[in-house]
Amino acid sequence: MQLGVNVPNFGPGADPGVLRGWARTVEELGYDLLMVSDHVAITPDVAERYPEPFHEPFTTLSWLAGLTTRVRLGTTVLILPYRDPLLTARMAVGLDRLSGGRLVLGVGTGWARQEFAALGVPFADRGRLTDACLEVLRGNGPAGSGAPPGADRIPVWVGGHSPAALRRAARFGDAWHPLRLTLPAMRAVLAAHPLPGFAPRIAFRLTPAPVTDADRPAGTGTLEQVLDDLRQLRALGAQAVVLDPYHGDPGRTGRPETAWQDLAAVAAHREDTV
């Protein structure tokens, strides 16, 4: 089972020095994936959670590819309706080739109504537009569409846990990529739905005392709780788990040292989890 990190590419701490530090830390600690998020128009509904600056993911990952040598690079998640399918495929293939085949494309339909409006994309059509883009990425677009060769070989992780998202993951994905769910919720979905793979992104925060809430998200709690979560996810068939250290406080994006220490603690016990 591979382990990854969702690196904040937004907020007051998203300057080149901090991002360079994230890349160095993730790769040197032996993590397998470095992933970033996606928003294009930072409208009020987006800015409330993820304020400017918000670096575009293909640009950010292209830069990070030049700062790293081993770690895989990915999106968690790229909002497919925001871009033309052929443009998305072209950028994905370019990044994959230039990085030496290291791209993992986590994708989703999006949630920010004001951002859709700013981009002139109908919010109600986001599912259909997502499927159309996945058809192109999977090499099933219209003949002569100009889709670049190689797009169908890039691993695609499909986010979301609605019935439509699960159907989309089964049809197009290499893995289902749920975001910040509890272990019981993920276990229930996996028991009820045949899916091609499983690669969750989980909340990540180490606490000095055990978290005993019944709805505790996977990845939060003491080191032993988090390590046990990873062991359980491995038993559920996860081929990768992405740790997400962002918890809604943009100011902390400029103070990543605690997150780096927590990631080091997990990395030191990696043999117990993978």
Side-chain angles (χ1 to χ4, degrees), residues 205-258:
R205 177 188 288 163
L206 295 187
T207 60
V211 178
T212 58
D213 297 346
D215 58 351
R216 177 183 71 89
T220 61
T222 63
L223 177 60
E224 184 49 47
Q225 281 183 300
V226 173
L227 295 177
D228 185 61
D229 289 340
L230 294 174
R231 287 189 287 266
Q232 291 191 58
L233 290 168
R234 180 186 61 192
L236 285 173
Q239 64 248 49
V241 177
V242 179
L243 304 178
D244 185 356
Y246 181 68
H247 296 281
D249 181 359
R252 296 196 65 83
T253 60
R255 304 189 299 276
E257 292 78 13
T258 298

